[in-house]
Amino acid sequence: MSDRAQSRPSPVSFSEAFLYWLKLGFISFGGPTGQIAIMHQDLVERKRWISEKRFLHALNYCMVLPGPEATQLATYIGWMMHRTWGGVIAGTLFVLPSLVILAALTWIYLAFGNVLVIAGLFYGIKPAVTAIVLFAAYRIGSRALKNAVLWTISLAAFVAIFAFDVPFPYIVLVAGIVGYLGGRIAPEKFSTGGHEGAGKSYGPALIDDATPSPSHALFRWAHSALVLAIFLAIWIGALGALVALFGWDSAFAQMGWFFTKAALLTFGGAYAVLPYVYQGAVEHYHWLTAAQMIDGLALGETTPGPLIMVVAFVGFVGAWTKAALGPETLALAGCAGAAIATFFTFLPSFLFILLGGPLVESTHGDLRFTAPLTGITAAVVGVILNLAAFFAWHVFWPEGFSGRFEWFSVLLGLAAIVALWRYKSGMIPVILGCGMAGLIYRLVAG
């Protein structure tokens, strides 16, 4: 082992950490798996800010939570290193570049979406997104559905939402209860393993396996009550301000309330909560159309940051569509809507880390509650499969089954599946390739 690997890294200043989290916000492509891999390579292998065992222990906790696990993991590590503000900065910078980029792209989409070039690109991107969602169902299912019981839960969830339009929150609740009971009755059926492991050593780390938890990470009832009170005050104050300024029935206030609920239901990642966002944003509030929802997911796939950032697109389009600040200020309303959707979606994630982190640090034993999570994850596979079917219907039969059939979209979708499955291509090359193919086809076909 080299001298560098044997020596402990120098302490990291707040400014050095700030610059790293900012850089991470701009390069965090590839969904949660890619983002976690980037952090592991940087923070565990290269910089050795945290040992692999502590990294995986934190990740295990974040996997149990609702919300984007990669964002929460960054928040957790930032909090461990530089207290509360370290966590807040890490989580915020993980999201902020994506918000700015996505708001700019959404404005271009709304302002120039009817231009042939833009329309052609999105014509090709939509079947690629359909393939990506289907591939996501396969990836999660291949890891999560380890026995007939879990397959049954997944199938039941698909039938519930596809055939009976059962709201997503009820599916999550029932699946969690089934998982909890199943974990007590037949624990071997609900034990699929976690991320915790022995952990490989890359040399001494700043936060090493045996490093005591810092004083701010120790659990104290008074501190926990203060954290909860502060977050409740922030949430009530922000939502109350929107209600006072615009009224409870306004688009902004309803977005604050709706995306708070969505934030508490994102078990299984963004793909799992998208059906709930669709049900609310498209069918209930009419903030955007089904076709726009697919376009928003395409934009979310091609920008850095967590995929759940698609909520910024929904907020932007919703505020624009409803002219929340008047017909003369559509772009400003859109930016406000994107910021509101993002704020209320991610606020609970900070609470979960700053409130629950000390509990996790108080023991490095196995986390409980994995059986309910296993049940929920199985149900999520069925929900994602329903989402793929929904996208396929709107992309391949845009006018309904009685209308025209988009054969070229089917070919692009099949090509995307082959690229993802057979050749292990990344999502961004697939999306860009399909987008260019769609543009060429529309230019040639007129």
Side-chain angles (χ1 to χ4, degrees):
M1 185 177 291
S2 66
D3 292 339
R4 177 186 176 277
Q6 291 177 338
S7 61
R8 193 173 301 278
S10 302
V12 178
S13 66
F14 190 89
S15 59
E16 183 182 351
F18 181 96
L19 292 176
Y20 172 75
W21 299 123
L22 179 62
K23 183 190 80 169
L24 183 65
F26 282 100
I27 65 171
S28 56
F29 292 95
T33 303
Q35 293 155 0
I36 290 168
I38 290 171
M39 280 190 283
H40 183 276
Q41 189 175 52
D42 282 347
L43 303 182
V44 177
E45 299 179 31
R46 294 177 179 172
K47 298 178 180 294
R48 290 184 287 128
W49 287 1
I50 186 170
S51 71
E52 176 153 296
K53 186 175 182 180
R54 298 289 282 266
F55 181 92
L56 295 176
H57 186 76
L59 177 59
N60 218 5
Y61 172 59
C62 295
M63 289 294 294
V64 176
L65 299 173
E69 59 265 31
T71 308
Q72 291 166 339
L73 180 60
T75 305
Y76 193 106
I77 296 173
W79 164 75
M80 282 287 291
M81 296 182 65
H82 294 109
R83 309 175 68 91
T84 299
W85 278 112
V88 171
I89 291 296
T92 300
L93 293 181
F94 195 88
V95 171
L96 191 59
S98 178
L99 172 61
V100 175
I101 294 170
L102 201 53
L105 292 177
T106 306
W107 174 77
I108 294 172
Y109 166 79
L110 290 172
F112 305 104
N114 292 326
V115 176
L116 180 59
V117 173
I118 303 297
L121 286 171
F122 275 97
Y123 177 80
I125 286 173
K126 288 177 183 179
V129 170
T130 304
I132 286 170
V133 175
L134 183 62
F135 188 62
Y138 161 75
R139 284 188 304 155
I140 298 174
S142 63
R143 295 195 304 265
L145 307 181
K146 300 297 187 181
N147 55 64
V149 174
L150 299 179
W151 273 99
T152 302
I153 294 174
S154 182
L155 179 61
F158 175 80
V159 171
I161 196 168
F162 181 84
F164 300 103
D165 201 26
V166 176
F168 179 65
Y170 296 145
I171 294 175
V172 169
L173 178 62
V174 172
I177 293 173
V178 170
Y180 173 77
L181 296 176
R184 297 175 69 87
I185 297 171
E188 72 281 357
K189 299 294 185 182
F190 290 84
S191 177
T192 59
H195 292 273
E196 193 78 83
K200 180 179 178 181
S201 175
Y202 296 92
L206 282 176
I207 304 174
D208 219 338
D209 293 353
T211 302
S213 298
S215 59
H216 68 270
L218 300 177
F219 178 77
R220 298 185 298 273
W221 281 108
H223 180 264
S224 297
L226 178 62
V227 169
L228 181 60
I230 290 173
F231 271 86
L232 285 175
I234 292 172
W235 179 75
I236 293 172
L239 188 60
L242 293 176
V243 173
L245 290 171
F246 305 103
W248 173 251
D249 293 326
S250 67
F252 288 151
Q254 289 300 303
M255 283 179 186
W257 176 241
F258 173 73
F259 286 112
T260 296
K261 293 186 292 182
L264 301 175
L265 294 168
T266 50
F267 291 98
Y271 287 115
V273 81
L274 283 175
Y276 177 70
V277 174
Y278 167 80
Q279 285 177 333
V282 177
E283 296 181 349
H284 181 70
Y285 292 107
H286 306 291
W287 289 332
L288 72 171
T289 66
Q292 287 175 325
M293 186 73 184
I294 301 173
D295 293 341
L297 184 56
L299 285 177
E301 292 278 17
T302 54
T303 52
L307 181 57
I308 194 60
M309 281 301 297
V310 71
V311 300
F313 175 89
V314 173
F316 195 110
V317 176
W320 178 295
T321 301
K322 298 297 184 181
L325 295 177
E328 304 299 323
T329 54
L330 297 180
L332 181 60
C335 290
I340 289 168
T342 302
F343 175 83
F344 283 98
T345 298
F346 284 90
L347 182 63
S349 290
F350 290 96
L351 173 63
F352 295 145
I353 297 303
L354 298 180
L355 185 65
L359 287 172
V360 178
E361 283 299 309
S362 67
T363 173
H364 293 293
D366 293 337
L367 291 175
R368 302 177 191 272
F369 315 120
T370 55
L373 180 65
T374 300
I376 291 170
T377 304
V380 159
V381 177
V383 172
I384 297 174
L385 189 60
N386 169 76
L387 186 67
F390 162 77
F391 281 0
W393 173 40
H394 283 277
V395 172
F396 302 150
W397 289 275
E399 299 170 357
F401 288 122
S402 59
R404 73 181 189 279
F405 176 67
E406 293 287 351
W407 63 269
F408 189 76
S409 293
V410 174
L411 292 178
L412 279 182
L414 290 174
I417 281 288
V418 171
L420 291 165
W421 201 327
R422 175 68 178 82
Y423 296 103
K424 313 299 183 186
S425 299
M427 288 183 292
I428 293 176
V430 169
I431 288 173
L432 294 179
C434 288
M436 290 304 299
L439 173 59
I440 294 170
Y441 174 78
R442 290 295 289 268
L443 289 174
V444 173

